Amino acid sequence: MASILRSPQALQLTLALIKPDAVAHPLILEAVHQQILSNKFLIVRMRELLWRKEDCQKFYQEHEGKEVEVQKVALGTRMKVS
């Protein structure tokens, strides 16, 4: 596994959320994946799901009451996660 990671350091995980309009277009989605890989990130797991409004509100709970939270929840209810 160390050869895959190219470093003896501990693996750090990063969550990537890809907006629905990018996921809807296979070429754009592939370009996003290539950009992730070209920046020396590894994709260790990937899945698509459609969030309910309640899921988005829970995820963005720390931003509750802020304008940005309202926008993220509105977008997130149409969001696929990768």
Side-chain angles (χ1 to χ4, degrees):
M1 182 131 155
S3 63
I4 294 172
L5 298 177
R6 299 184 194 109
S7 173
Q9 297 176 344
L11 180 64
Q12 295 182 5
L13 299 177
T14 300
L15 173 67
L17 302 175
I18 302 175
K19 294 165 71 173
D21 53 342
V23 173
H25 301 284
L27 293 176
I28 295 173
L29 183 58
E30 180 60 29
V32 171
H33 285 165
Q34 289 304 315
Q35 187 68 29
I36 291 169
L37 296 172
S38 69
N39 282 289
K40 299 185 179 172
F41 284 89
L42 297 173
I43 300 173
V44 295
R45 184 174 23 181
M46 184 172 75
R47 66 179 171 163
E48 283 189 26
L49 58 94
L50 187 61
W51 278 2
R52 296 172 297 147
K53 183 175 180 177
E54 296 79 22
D55 300 326
C56 294
Q57 288 172 326
K58 185 177 178 182
F59 185 80
Y60 291 111
Q61 188 172 15
E62 67 185 74
H63 301 290
E64 188 173 351
K66 299 177 188 174
E67 180 66 25
V68 70
E69 185 263 342
V70 173
Q71 294 170 353
K72 287 180 179 178
V73 168
L75 173 64
T77 57
R78 302 185 316 266
M79 183 180 295
K80 289 187 178 183
V81 179
S82 175

